[in-house]
Amino acid sequence: MPIPTPSPSTNPSAPPAATAVYLPRDVVNAPEVKAAIARRSAERGDDADMAAWLLNHFFRWAIGSFGNVLPVQSPADYLAAAGPDKPLPEWLTKQLQPRAPAAQDKDNKEKSKSGKADPQALEASSKTFYYLDPEHLLLVDRERMLVEFLRSRRGTRLEQKLQRITCFMAMALWEQEHQRMQAKRKKGWVPSSGLALKELLRTPNGVIFEFIGSHAALREEMAYESFHMQHCLGQFANLKKLNGGYGEQYASAAQSGRLRLFTLRSAGNLPHVTISLEVHADGLRIDQIKGKQNRHPVRKYADDVLQFLRTLPPRGERHSDCEGMGLVFEPETADDTSTTQGQWKFVTDVRSPDFLLSVMSGNFHLIEHFEQPPPALQWLLLRIAPHKLARLRQMDVAVAAAARLTLPANRLPPSLQAASSEAPAAMMEIEGISLSAAVCAPLLLGAALP
C-alpha cells in the first residue's frame, strides 16, 4: 500500500535560524519517537550533554518540523501508518470520534450564554493528528549528521554552550560548513542532505524517494546518487557549480517537469536503483531503470521496483531495462494493444506462453529464476542460446537428450558432461528412436549453478 506524501502544510518553510522556533504539532506517537532517539543515542555511546541536546532540541524539531509525517484523521489512517500490530490508543480513539451535531450545537449555545462561545469549535472536532516513523531513514540520517557535526566541535566554544544551540542553529552551522566543503570535492563526491528528496513508497528493501525538481539541493542530490551508483545521472562537467555535462540534461528536464527522478535507498541513505520517468500528456513513460554502473538492478530489488511500477504506474509497455531485470507488463489478452489493460509482474508469473517466449528470447539470463522452466522455453534456449543451459535448475528429458546429440562435448553444461560419464550404457526409446539412457536421464541442475 503506498504511503501518502505529507501535504506542504506539514513541512512549513523554516524561518532564519536565529529566530526559528519549535512549532507545535500533534504527533500521536511522540513518546515513541523520543524513546527511539534515546535508544540510538545510547547505542552510539553519546555523552550526557549530547544525549540531553538530542532529547530536547532534536526531538522538538522532529515533532514540529520534520516533513515526512503522515496525517491521521481516522483510525484507518493510524493503522496504515503504525501497522496493524499497534492498537489505536484509547485517547486517540476518543479524539477521532466525530461529535454529534446536536451535541456541538448545545455546547455552542451554552458557551454563547456564558459569553465564552468558541467560533472554532467545529474545527477543533476535526483536528488533524500526525504519525512520525521513529526509524524514518531521513530522520535517522539527519540525527546522525547533526551528532557528527556537533562532535566535531568538541573543544570549541560551541561545545560550552551546546544546550543553548537550537536544532535550527545547528543545521544552519552545518550548512555553512557544507558550503565550504563544496570547494574541496574530490572525484565528484557531494554529500547528501536529503532535502531534495520526498518519500514516495516503502518497499521490502528500503524507501523509494522522488527527487524534488524545484528544490535548490536537487543537483547535489543527483551528484550524490551518481557517485554511489557510478552512472551519469549527476555527472556534471563543473563539479563546483554542478552544471554542464550529462547531469545538466537530466537536471534541466527534472526542473522543467519533463522528467521525474526516483531512487531506492536503504539504511544509511545508500542508493541501489535509479529510476527516471518521462512526463507526457497521456501519462508517465519509463525512461530508464538502472542499477549500479548502468547495469540491470539485481534480483533482490526487483520486488521493490515492481511495487513502484504497480503503485505509480507508468504506461504499460515493453522496456529493455524492465525486461532485463525480469519485470514485464503482460496485457490482459494476446491481441490487446492497450497500455492500461494488464499488469506489471515478474517474468516467472507470465501466463501467456507466446508472450513469455517473446520476452525470454532476448533475456535468457532470466532462465535461472524458473524453478521448472516450460519445455518450450527450454527448446528455445537450446536453439538460440545453448551456452545458457547451465543456468537451468531443471532440464526436460527430451531437451537434455537433444543437447547431447546436437552440441559438441565442449559446449555441453558441466552437469550434462558429468551425467554422461556416470550414466549406464542401457538403451531406451523415444517415439521409436533408440537412445542411450545416459542421454535421456532427467537432470536436476540446481547444484551446478554458479
Side-chain angles (χ1 to χ4, degrees):
M1 178 178 179
I3 295 180
T5 55
S7 62
S9 61
T10 68
N11 186 20
S13 300
T19 59
V21 295
Y22 297 117
L23 302 174
R25 187 167 57 182
D26 288 305
V27 175
V28 297
N29 63 326
E32 183 182 354
V33 174
K34 195 168 192 176
I37 294 173
R39 174 182 51 77
R40 289 193 294 265
S41 181
E43 291 173 350
R44 283 191 302 267
D46 295 339
D47 57 35
D49 280 350
M50 181 66 71
W53 186 89
L54 289 170
L55 292 176
N56 180 15
H57 293 290
F58 183 73
F59 169 71
R60 292 165 68 186
W61 172 84
I63 293 301
S65 299
F66 181 65
N68 291 277
V69 292
L70 304 176
V72 176
Q73 296 177 296
S74 68
D77 287 344
Y78 177 84
L79 294 176
D85 57 328
K86 292 186 178 180
L88 187 68
E90 184 177 349
W91 68 267
L92 183 59
T93 302
K94 296 179 180 178
Q95 290 288 336
L96 295 178
Q97 287 179 348
R99 297 177 60 186
Q104 293 175 349
D105 292 342
K106 182 178 180 181
D107 286 350
N108 286 337
K109 289 179 180 178
E110 292 178 354
K111 291 181 179 180
S112 179
K113 292 179 180 179
S114 62
K116 299 180 180 180
D118 185 0
Q120 297 180 343
L122 294 180
E123 294 182 10
S125 67
S126 58
K127 187 175 183 179
T128 298
F129 297 88
Y130 299 93
Y131 182 89
L132 169 55
D133 180 3
E135 305 297 333
H136 194 284
L137 290 178
L138 294 182
L139 180 68
V140 173
D141 189 66
R142 181 59 58 87
E143 177 185 317
R144 175 194 56 77
M145 177 268 289
L146 287 171
V147 169
E148 290 178 354
F149 171 74
L150 293 173
R151 280 178 176 175
S152 71
R153 292 300 181 269
R154 285 174 176 169
T156 68
R157 289 189 301 172
L158 179 62
E159 181 183 22
Q160 300 172 2
K161 56 180 181 180
L162 177 61
Q163 303 307 324
R164 299 198 301 273
I165 302 296
T166 69
C167 195
F168 298 103
M169 294 167 65
M171 287 190 290
L173 291 170
W174 177 89
E175 179 63 26
Q176 292 175 10
E177 182 175 273
H178 170 66
Q179 295 297 329
R180 291 193 295 268
M181 288 175 59
Q182 288 189 7
K184 302 178 180 179
R185 290 192 188 104
K186 297 180 180 179
K187 299 181 180 179
W189 179 82
V190 177
S192 165
S193 65
L195 298 176
L197 296 178
K198 177 177 64 176
E199 180 180 322
L200 176 73
L201 181 68
R202 299 187 186 187
T203 64
N205 292 298
V207 177
I208 293 181
F209 296 97
E210 180 171 4
F211 290 76
I212 304 174
S214 59
H215 201 285
L218 169 67
R219 293 171 180 247
E220 296 178 3
E221 202 64 52
M222 291 172 59
Y224 175 87
E225 182 88 1
S226 276
F227 177 82
H228 285 278
M229 296 295 289
Q230 301 175 45
H231 55 41
C232 61
L233 176 75
Q235 286 186 358
F236 296 98
N238 189 320
L239 296 179
K240 183 176 182 180
K241 296 182 179 179
L242 293 179
N243 59 23
Y246 290 104
E248 183 65 39
Q249 55 185 317
Y250 292 110
S252 298
Q255 290 170 329
S256 65
R258 293 180 287 113
L259 197 68
R260 294 177 65 180
L261 304 174
F262 305 86
T263 175
L264 167 63
R265 297 188 179 180
S266 63
N269 201 24
L270 293 178
H272 298 286
V273 181
T274 307
I275 304 172
S276 58
L277 301 180
E278 297 174 347
V279 179
H280 294 268
D282 59 348
L284 300 172
R285 300 185 70 170
I286 296 172
D287 176 44
Q288 297 183 68
I289 300 180
K290 300 296 186 184
K292 291 187 176 180
Q293 298 180 336
N294 275 328
R295 297 172 181 168
H296 299 307
V298 298
R299 174 65 180 96
K300 177 181 179 180
Y301 303 114
D303 293 335
D304 304 79
V305 178
L306 179 59
Q307 186 177 342
F308 168 84
L309 294 174
R310 288 179 172 177
T311 301
L312 216 52
R315 181 184 178 93
E317 57 190 354
R318 298 187 60 173
H319 193 282
S320 58
D321 284 353
C322 293
E323 293 185 1
M325 67 181 303
L327 301 180
V328 297
F329 183 86
E330 183 179 15
E332 288 289 346
T333 59
D335 57 350
D336 187 3
T337 59
S338 170
T339 58
T340 58
Q341 300 301 315
Q343 186 180 34
W344 288 98
K345 58 183 64 176
F346 195 67
V347 66
T348 54
D349 298 321
V350 170
R351 296 175 301 172
S352 168
D354 292 338
F355 184 69
L356 177 62
L357 291 175
S358 176
V359 171
M360 291 297 297
S361 62
N363 298 282
F364 278 119
H365 62 283
L366 299 172
I367 197 72
E368 65 188 18
H369 299 305
F370 289 81
E371 188 68 34
Q372 291 183 320
L377 187 55
Q378 297 185 42
W379 283 108
L380 184 64
L381 182 66
L382 176 62
R383 174 67 180 85
I384 298 179
H387 59 285
K388 297 290 188 180
L389 286 171
R391 292 180 176 268
L392 285 171
R393 295 189 184 184
Q394 184 170 337
M395 189 180 295
D396 182 79
V397 173
V399 174
R404 291 270 308 146
L405 292 173
T406 60
L407 297 178
N410 61 357
R411 295 182 62 189
L412 288 173
S415 299
L416 278 181
Q417 296 178 18
S420 175
S421 61
E422 297 173 3
M427 301 297 291
M428 63 178 296
E429 290 189 353
I430 296 180
E431 296 185 357
I433 302 175
S434 297
L435 295 172
S436 167
V439 171
C440 303
L443 297 172
L444 295 176
L445 304 178
L449 290 177

